Amino acid sequence: MTTGSPLVLWLGLAGLLGAAMIAVVITIVLPRLQPALERLAPARRARVLTALCLAPLGAGALLMLACLLPSLYAALWPTLDHCTRHADDHLHLCLVHPPAATLGLTALLVGAAGSAMFLVRGLPGVVRLYRANRVLARLHAASVPADLAGVRSVDSDVAFSFAGGILHADIFLSRGLRERVDEAQLAAVLAHERAHVRRRDVLRRHVARVGALLHLPGAGRTLLSALELACEEACDAEAAVTLGDRVQVAQAIVAVARLAPRPPPAVAATAVGFTGEALTHRVTALLATPPRESAASWWSFPAALGALVLLAPGLHHATETVLSLLARP
Amino acid sequence: MEHLWAHGSGDVKSVHAALKARRITINTVQSTLRRLFDKQLLRREKISHAHVYSPRSTRQAYHRQVLAEVVGDVLRGEAGTALSAFVDLAAEADEAHLRTLEQLIATRLRSGGAT
């Protein structure tokens, strides 16, 4: 057997192609999927949307794993080694027998373009995250623990409250908001923010953003916007359960929206459309009969794992065949 | 800054003597004071051969300024990627829209009460 391009490059290319395929499929089916998603309970919808954001990344990783599984089977049971049955010039995605084929120009271009797109789209997000963390660190230093559990008080006239922080979130509550809402509204605000902290929504959105980098731009934006709304609605629903009153939460949303600071025109111009819609969605969802929250299916993970193990040889061969087309003749 | 707020003013030697427990060199103190002066947080006056530094604002005024800056950053969306707000901080909910939502809530309360 001759030695070709390293296995890791072939696997990376396989993962990239798998991710691209799933991204295209999701872009095509998303408009038909949206009405069904909107009927789901918000917490479940948030889980499904997170999974959809991560689908291309997950599909790429699973395809790479599926491609390697047959050679792992062969390592455990040598009788299952099928590489010797291949012709020498056939592409091998195998840990034991290195690939004999060399990446062609098309493969190199596809790989380079995919990696460049991931980096170019991801880099601004890394910068934004760095800046956001610096601002939150300064706000943390400028705030003091409030007399409410898990809440930091910000001595500002501006009315706002939010859960901030990725791995460890704090609830920041301004004096301006606390002074201008009544007890019931404050309870709703805090129950909502505590739900964000418990659900780790900031972290969830970050993970989803990383996953969305592999989506086509339009579908990625749609999924992230829908996820944002689903997270807010899930926290509204959780606050309503905590307080035992959905209307109380709806009233608090409108009251706080009325107090919300007027943003600079540049910020408002980018956010006003979605915000108005989001407010209406959240309030009308709280006033409507809540959809039933179905229990998570415990069997879905073992079922997916079993399917991967069974399908691995087929996926392995199909990928080898497709990648052979991208090998240097 | 804490030392200068507490004592009103001081030169490099006196600040270094006060911070001796931290085991920092006099050069570190000197460059830190110069940087705080460059950032307009300190004013300085040459007395004999030494610069004497004093804070430009009180501790409270400084904290108010820092807080206003950081709240401004938050409202401009600088921390948007790392927070989940109760109501979007970039929201510009118009009065008519809010009134419509309040009417919806009032209708709901009249028809069925709170749930």
Side-chain angles (χ1 to χ4, degrees), chain A residues 148 173 181-195 235 238-240 242-243 248-249 252 256, chain B residues 86:
Chain A
L148 303 156
L173 178 68
V181 292
D182 61 30
E183 285 293 317
Q185 288 163 348
L186 182 64
V189 170
L190 292 179
H192 175 100
E193 300 302 0
R194 286 190 177 119
C235 291
E238 199 170 314
T242 306
L243 302 172
Q248 183 182 341
V249 181
V256 175
Chain B
F86 182 64

PDB file of all heavy atoms in Angstrom, chain A residues 148 173 181-195 235 238-240 242-243 248-249 252 256, chain B residues 86:
ATOM      1  N   LEU A 148     -31.722  40.050  47.828  1.00  0.00           N
ATOM      2  CA  LEU A 148     -32.481  38.969  47.181  1.00  0.00           C
ATOM      3  C   LEU A 148     -31.477  37.912  46.718  1.00  0.00           C
ATOM      4  O   LEU A 148     -30.426  38.272  46.179  1.00  0.00           O
ATOM      5  CB  LEU A 148     -33.244  39.508  45.963  1.00  0.00           C
ATOM      6  CG  LEU A 148     -34.209  40.662  46.235  1.00  0.00           C
ATOM      7  CD1 LEU A 148     -34.443  41.462  44.962  1.00  0.00           C
ATOM      8  CD2 LEU A 148     -35.517  40.103  46.769  1.00  0.00           C
ATOM      9  N   LEU A 173     -29.943  43.569  38.681  1.00  0.00           N
ATOM     10  CA  LEU A 173     -31.214  44.291  38.807  1.00  0.00           C
ATOM     11  C   LEU A 173     -30.902  45.746  39.132  1.00  0.00           C
ATOM     12  O   LEU A 173     -30.201  46.028  40.110  1.00  0.00           O
ATOM     13  CB  LEU A 173     -32.047  43.664  39.938  1.00  0.00           C
ATOM     14  CG  LEU A 173     -33.385  44.287  40.258  1.00  0.00           C
ATOM     15  CD1 LEU A 173     -34.378  44.067  39.127  1.00  0.00           C
ATOM     16  CD2 LEU A 173     -33.943  43.687  41.541  1.00  0.00           C
ATOM     17  N   VAL A 181     -41.316  49.136  39.806  1.00  0.00           N
ATOM     18  CA  VAL A 181     -42.281  48.044  39.632  1.00  0.00           C
ATOM     19  C   VAL A 181     -42.824  47.643  41.004  1.00  0.00           C
ATOM     20  O   VAL A 181     -42.170  47.870  42.027  1.00  0.00           O
ATOM     21  CB  VAL A 181     -41.648  46.799  38.946  1.00  0.00           C
ATOM     22  CG1 VAL A 181     -41.289  47.099  37.514  1.00  0.00           C
ATOM     23  CG2 VAL A 181     -40.446  46.279  39.726  1.00  0.00           C
ATOM     24  N   ASP A 182     -44.046  47.056  40.991  1.00  0.00           N
ATOM     25  CA  ASP A 182     -44.607  46.636  42.286  1.00  0.00           C
ATOM     26  C   ASP A 182     -44.080  45.243  42.654  1.00  0.00           C
ATOM     27  O   ASP A 182     -43.349  44.616  41.885  1.00  0.00           O
ATOM     28  CB  ASP A 182     -46.145  46.708  42.261  1.00  0.00           C
ATOM     29  CG  ASP A 182     -46.742  45.782  41.206  1.00  0.00           C
ATOM     30  OD1 ASP A 182     -46.117  44.741  40.920  1.00  0.00           O
ATOM     31  OD2 ASP A 182     -47.813  46.107  40.663  1.00  0.00           O
ATOM     32  N   GLU A 183     -44.476  44.774  43.812  1.00  0.00           N
ATOM     33  CA  GLU A 183     -43.955  43.498  44.342  1.00  0.00           C
ATOM     34  C   GLU A 183     -44.236  42.329  43.389  1.00  0.00           C
ATOM     35  O   GLU A 183     -43.376  41.490  43.145  1.00  0.00           O
ATOM     36  CB  GLU A 183     -44.600  43.203  45.702  1.00  0.00           C
ATOM     37  CG  GLU A 183     -44.049  44.051  46.835  1.00  0.00           C
ATOM     38  CD  GLU A 183     -42.588  43.739  47.158  1.00  0.00           C
ATOM     39  OE1 GLU A 183     -42.237  42.546  47.197  1.00  0.00           O
ATOM     40  OE2 GLU A 183     -41.795  44.681  47.332  1.00  0.00           O
ATOM     41  N   ALA A 184     -45.471  42.308  42.851  1.00  0.00           N
ATOM     42  CA  ALA A 184     -45.867  41.198  41.979  1.00  0.00           C
ATOM     43  C   ALA A 184     -45.028  41.199  40.696  1.00  0.00           C
ATOM     44  O   ALA A 184     -44.583  40.143  40.218  1.00  0.00           O
ATOM     45  CB  ALA A 184     -47.356  41.311  41.639  1.00  0.00           C
ATOM     46  N   GLN A 185     -44.816  42.392  40.155  1.00  0.00           N
ATOM     47  CA  GLN A 185     -44.020  42.490  38.915  1.00  0.00           C
ATOM     48  C   GLN A 185     -42.561  42.119  39.185  1.00  0.00           C
ATOM     49  O   GLN A 185     -41.934  41.417  38.388  1.00  0.00           O
ATOM     50  CB  GLN A 185     -44.113  43.909  38.343  1.00  0.00           C
ATOM     51  CG  GLN A 185     -45.488  44.202  37.746  1.00  0.00           C
ATOM     52  CD  GLN A 185     -45.738  45.682  37.562  1.00  0.00           C
ATOM     53  OE1 GLN A 185     -44.991  46.522  38.071  1.00  0.00           O
ATOM     54  NE2 GLN A 185     -46.813  46.007  36.854  1.00  0.00           N
ATOM     55  N   LEU A 186     -42.044  42.544  40.330  1.00  0.00           N
ATOM     56  CA  LEU A 186     -40.654  42.203  40.673  1.00  0.00           C
ATOM     57  C   LEU A 186     -40.509  40.688  40.839  1.00  0.00           C
ATOM     58  O   LEU A 186     -39.513  40.099  40.382  1.00  0.00           O
ATOM     59  CB  LEU A 186     -40.235  42.924  41.969  1.00  0.00           C
ATOM     60  CG  LEU A 186     -38.802  42.681  42.407  1.00  0.00           C
ATOM     61  CD1 LEU A 186     -37.803  43.227  41.379  1.00  0.00           C
ATOM     62  CD2 LEU A 186     -38.520  43.317  43.775  1.00  0.00           C
ATOM     63  N   ALA A 187     -41.513  40.075  41.460  1.00  0.00           N
ATOM     64  CA  ALA A 187     -41.464  38.612  41.636  1.00  0.00           C
ATOM     65  C   ALA A 187     -41.420  37.922  40.266  1.00  0.00           C
ATOM     66  O   ALA A 187     -40.684  36.942  40.074  1.00  0.00           O
ATOM     67  CB  ALA A 187     -42.671  38.144  42.434  1.00  0.00           C
ATOM     68  N   ALA A 188     -42.201  38.449  39.318  1.00  0.00           N
ATOM     69  CA  ALA A 188     -42.224  37.857  37.968  1.00  0.00           C
ATOM     70  C   ALA A 188     -40.869  38.030  37.277  1.00  0.00           C
ATOM     71  O   ALA A 188     -40.352  37.093  36.652  1.00  0.00           O
ATOM     72  CB  ALA A 188     -43.333  38.500  37.136  1.00  0.00           C
ATOM     73  N   VAL A 189     -40.297  39.219  37.404  1.00  0.00           N
ATOM     74  CA  VAL A 189     -38.989  39.493  36.783  1.00  0.00           C
ATOM     75  C   VAL A 189     -37.944  38.524  37.335  1.00  0.00           C
ATOM     76  O   VAL A 189     -37.201  37.884  36.587  1.00  0.00           O
ATOM     77  CB  VAL A 189     -38.551  40.960  37.050  1.00  0.00           C
ATOM     78  CG1 VAL A 189     -37.114  41.184  36.628  1.00  0.00           C
ATOM     79  CG2 VAL A 189     -39.463  41.937  36.317  1.00  0.00           C
ATOM     80  N   LEU A 190     -37.915  38.396  38.673  1.00  0.00           N
ATOM     81  CA  LEU A 190     -36.879  37.554  39.293  1.00  0.00           C
ATOM     82  C   LEU A 190     -37.101  36.075  38.979  1.00  0.00           C
ATOM     83  O   LEU A 190     -36.142  35.334  38.734  1.00  0.00           O
ATOM     84  CB  LEU A 190     -36.856  37.778  40.805  1.00  0.00           C
ATOM     85  CG  LEU A 190     -36.369  39.162  41.226  1.00  0.00           C
ATOM     86  CD1 LEU A 190     -36.404  39.316  42.737  1.00  0.00           C
ATOM     87  CD2 LEU A 190     -34.957  39.424  40.714  1.00  0.00           C
ATOM     88  N   ALA A 191     -38.366  35.647  38.945  1.00  0.00           N
ATOM     89  CA  ALA A 191     -38.640  34.237  38.612  1.00  0.00           C
ATOM     90  C   ALA A 191     -38.183  33.953  37.184  1.00  0.00           C
ATOM     91  O   ALA A 191     -37.616  32.881  36.894  1.00  0.00           O
ATOM     92  CB  ALA A 191     -40.132  33.948  38.769  1.00  0.00           C
ATOM     93  N   HIS A 192     -38.401  34.902  36.292  1.00  0.00           N
ATOM     94  CA  HIS A 192     -37.978  34.760  34.891  1.00  0.00           C
ATOM     95  C   HIS A 192     -36.448  34.675  34.803  1.00  0.00           C
ATOM     96  O   HIS A 192     -35.902  33.790  34.145  1.00  0.00           O
ATOM     97  CB  HIS A 192     -38.510  35.948  34.084  1.00  0.00           C
ATOM     98  CG  HIS A 192     -38.053  35.981  32.657  1.00  0.00           C
ATOM     99  ND1 HIS A 192     -38.832  35.562  31.603  1.00  0.00           N
ATOM    100  CD2 HIS A 192     -36.885  36.379  32.109  1.00  0.00           C
ATOM    101  CE1 HIS A 192     -38.167  35.707  30.484  1.00  0.00           C
ATOM    102  NE2 HIS A 192     -36.968  36.208  30.754  1.00  0.00           N
ATOM    103  N   GLU A 193     -35.767  35.593  35.482  1.00  0.00           N
ATOM    104  CA  GLU A 193     -34.289  35.602  35.410  1.00  0.00           C
ATOM    105  C   GLU A 193     -33.701  34.358  36.059  1.00  0.00           C
ATOM    106  O   GLU A 193     -32.702  33.810  35.583  1.00  0.00           O
ATOM    107  CB  GLU A 193     -33.721  36.868  36.076  1.00  0.00           C
ATOM    108  CG  GLU A 193     -34.170  38.189  35.475  1.00  0.00           C
ATOM    109  CD  GLU A 193     -33.845  38.366  34.003  1.00  0.00           C
ATOM    110  OE1 GLU A 193     -33.255  37.476  33.387  1.00  0.00           O
ATOM    111  OE2 GLU A 193     -34.235  39.405  33.450  1.00  0.00           O
ATOM    112  N   ARG A 194     -34.324  33.897  37.158  1.00  0.00           N
ATOM    113  CA  ARG A 194     -33.817  32.674  37.815  1.00  0.00           C
ATOM    114  C   ARG A 194     -33.991  31.475  36.885  1.00  0.00           C
ATOM    115  O   ARG A 194     -33.161  30.559  36.895  1.00  0.00           O
ATOM    116  CB  ARG A 194     -34.536  32.453  39.148  1.00  0.00           C
ATOM    117  CG  ARG A 194     -34.060  33.434  40.188  1.00  0.00           C
ATOM    118  CD  ARG A 194     -34.555  33.111  41.586  1.00  0.00           C
ATOM    119  NE  ARG A 194     -33.972  34.076  42.510  1.00  0.00           N
ATOM    120  CZ  ARG A 194     -34.652  34.927  43.259  1.00  0.00           C
ATOM    121  NH1 ARG A 194     -35.971  34.916  43.219  1.00  0.00           N
ATOM    122  NH2 ARG A 194     -34.038  35.781  44.053  1.00  0.00           N
ATOM    123  N   ALA A 195     -35.053  31.506  36.098  1.00  0.00           N
ATOM    124  CA  ALA A 195     -35.251  30.420  35.121  1.00  0.00           C
ATOM    125  C   ALA A 195     -34.125  30.447  34.083  1.00  0.00           C
ATOM    126  O   ALA A 195     -33.604  29.397  33.691  1.00  0.00           O
ATOM    127  CB  ALA A 195     -36.611  30.562  34.446  1.00  0.00           C
ATOM    128  N   CYS A 235     -38.789  30.659  29.894  1.00  0.00           N
ATOM    129  CA  CYS A 235     -38.580  31.290  31.205  1.00  0.00           C
ATOM    130  C   CYS A 235     -39.864  31.963  31.685  1.00  0.00           C
ATOM    131  O   CYS A 235     -40.161  31.953  32.881  1.00  0.00           O
ATOM    132  CB  CYS A 235     -37.426  32.291  31.146  1.00  0.00           C
ATOM    133  SG  CYS A 235     -35.854  31.461  30.913  1.00  0.00           S
ATOM    134  N   GLU A 238     -41.913  29.141  32.997  1.00  0.00           N
ATOM    135  CA  GLU A 238     -41.400  28.656  34.281  1.00  0.00           C
ATOM    136  C   GLU A 238     -41.734  29.655  35.401  1.00  0.00           C
ATOM    137  O   GLU A 238     -42.098  29.252  36.508  1.00  0.00           O
ATOM    138  CB  GLU A 238     -39.883  28.457  34.181  1.00  0.00           C
ATOM    139  CG  GLU A 238     -39.362  27.548  35.263  1.00  0.00           C
ATOM    140  CD  GLU A 238     -37.913  27.147  35.030  1.00  0.00           C
ATOM    141  OE1 GLU A 238     -37.561  26.773  33.894  1.00  0.00           O
ATOM    142  OE2 GLU A 238     -37.147  27.208  35.998  1.00  0.00           O
ATOM    143  N   ALA A 239     -41.624  30.951  35.081  1.00  0.00           N
ATOM    144  CA  ALA A 239     -41.982  31.982  36.076  1.00  0.00           C
ATOM    145  C   ALA A 239     -43.471  31.880  36.417  1.00  0.00           C
ATOM    146  O   ALA A 239     -43.853  32.011  37.582  1.00  0.00           O
ATOM    147  CB  ALA A 239     -41.649  33.369  35.533  1.00  0.00           C
ATOM    148  N   ALA A 240     -44.280  31.607  35.393  1.00  0.00           N
ATOM    149  CA  ALA A 240     -45.731  31.491  35.621  1.00  0.00           C
ATOM    150  C   ALA A 240     -46.036  30.310  36.533  1.00  0.00           C
ATOM    151  O   ALA A 240     -46.912  30.397  37.400  1.00  0.00           O
ATOM    152  CB  ALA A 240     -46.450  31.344  34.283  1.00  0.00           C
ATOM    153  N   THR A 242     -43.936  29.070  38.771  1.00  0.00           N
ATOM    154  CA  THR A 242     -43.431  29.439  40.104  1.00  0.00           C
ATOM    155  C   THR A 242     -44.438  30.328  40.833  1.00  0.00           C
ATOM    156  O   THR A 242     -44.701  30.142  42.019  1.00  0.00           O
ATOM    157  CB  THR A 242     -42.091  30.209  39.962  1.00  0.00           C
ATOM    158  OG1 THR A 242     -41.205  29.414  39.199  1.00  0.00           O
ATOM    159  CG2 THR A 242     -41.469  30.494  41.311  1.00  0.00           C
ATOM    160  N   LEU A 243     -45.001  31.294  40.103  1.00  0.00           N
ATOM    161  CA  LEU A 243     -45.919  32.249  40.732  1.00  0.00           C
ATOM    162  C   LEU A 243     -47.362  31.745  40.734  1.00  0.00           C
ATOM    163  O   LEU A 243     -48.205  32.287  41.434  1.00  0.00           O
ATOM    164  CB  LEU A 243     -45.871  33.590  39.991  1.00  0.00           C
ATOM    165  CG  LEU A 243     -44.497  34.257  39.904  1.00  0.00           C
ATOM    166  CD1 LEU A 243     -44.547  35.463  38.986  1.00  0.00           C
ATOM    167  CD2 LEU A 243     -44.030  34.674  41.295  1.00  0.00           C
ATOM    168  N   GLN A 248     -49.956  37.391  35.535  1.00  0.00           N
ATOM    169  CA  GLN A 248     -49.037  38.239  36.321  1.00  0.00           C
ATOM    170  C   GLN A 248     -47.711  38.432  35.573  1.00  0.00           C
ATOM    171  O   GLN A 248     -47.149  39.525  35.555  1.00  0.00           O
ATOM    172  CB  GLN A 248     -48.780  37.571  37.680  1.00  0.00           C
ATOM    173  CG  GLN A 248     -47.910  38.396  38.608  1.00  0.00           C
ATOM    174  CD  GLN A 248     -47.635  37.675  39.926  1.00  0.00           C
ATOM    175  OE1 GLN A 248     -48.340  36.738  40.297  1.00  0.00           O
ATOM    176  NE2 GLN A 248     -46.599  38.110  40.628  1.00  0.00           N
ATOM    177  N   VAL A 249     -47.245  37.358  34.934  1.00  0.00           N
ATOM    178  CA  VAL A 249     -45.986  37.446  34.181  1.00  0.00           C
ATOM    179  C   VAL A 249     -46.188  38.325  32.941  1.00  0.00           C
ATOM    180  O   VAL A 249     -45.346  39.173  32.614  1.00  0.00           O
ATOM    181  CB  VAL A 249     -45.466  36.041  33.790  1.00  0.00           C
ATOM    182  CG1 VAL A 249     -44.156  36.141  33.029  1.00  0.00           C
ATOM    183  CG2 VAL A 249     -45.290  35.176  35.028  1.00  0.00           C
ATOM    184  N   ALA A 252     -46.154  41.881  33.933  1.00  0.00           N
ATOM    185  CA  ALA A 252     -44.789  42.336  34.254  1.00  0.00           C
ATOM    186  C   ALA A 252     -44.005  42.626  32.977  1.00  0.00           C
ATOM    187  O   ALA A 252     -43.264  43.614  32.917  1.00  0.00           O
ATOM    188  CB  ALA A 252     -44.077  41.279  35.092  1.00  0.00           C
ATOM    189  N   VAL A 256     -42.477  46.279  32.318  1.00  0.00           N
ATOM    190  CA  VAL A 256     -41.027  46.499  32.197  1.00  0.00           C
ATOM    191  C   VAL A 256     -40.688  47.041  30.804  1.00  0.00           C
ATOM    192  O   VAL A 256     -39.802  47.886  30.664  1.00  0.00           O
ATOM    193  CB  VAL A 256     -40.247  45.206  32.526  1.00  0.00           C
ATOM    194  CG1 VAL A 256     -38.756  45.390  32.277  1.00  0.00           C
ATOM    195  CG2 VAL A 256     -40.470  44.807  33.977  1.00  0.00           C
TER     196      VAL A 256
ATOM    197  N   PHE B  86     -34.772  40.495  30.727  1.00  0.00           N
ATOM    198  CA  PHE B  86     -36.214  40.237  30.913  1.00  0.00           C
ATOM    199  C   PHE B  86     -36.985  40.815  29.730  1.00  0.00           C
ATOM    200  O   PHE B  86     -37.856  40.185  29.168  1.00  0.00           O
ATOM    201  CB  PHE B  86     -36.688  40.867  32.222  1.00  0.00           C
ATOM    202  CG  PHE B  86     -38.136  40.595  32.508  1.00  0.00           C
ATOM    203  CD1 PHE B  86     -38.576  39.301  32.735  1.00  0.00           C
ATOM    204  CD2 PHE B  86     -39.059  41.613  32.543  1.00  0.00           C
ATOM    205  CE1 PHE B  86     -39.918  39.042  32.983  1.00  0.00           C
ATOM    206  CE2 PHE B  86     -40.400  41.367  32.789  1.00  0.00           C
ATOM    207  CZ  PHE B  86     -40.825  40.080  33.014  1.00  0.00           C
TER     208      PHE B  86
END
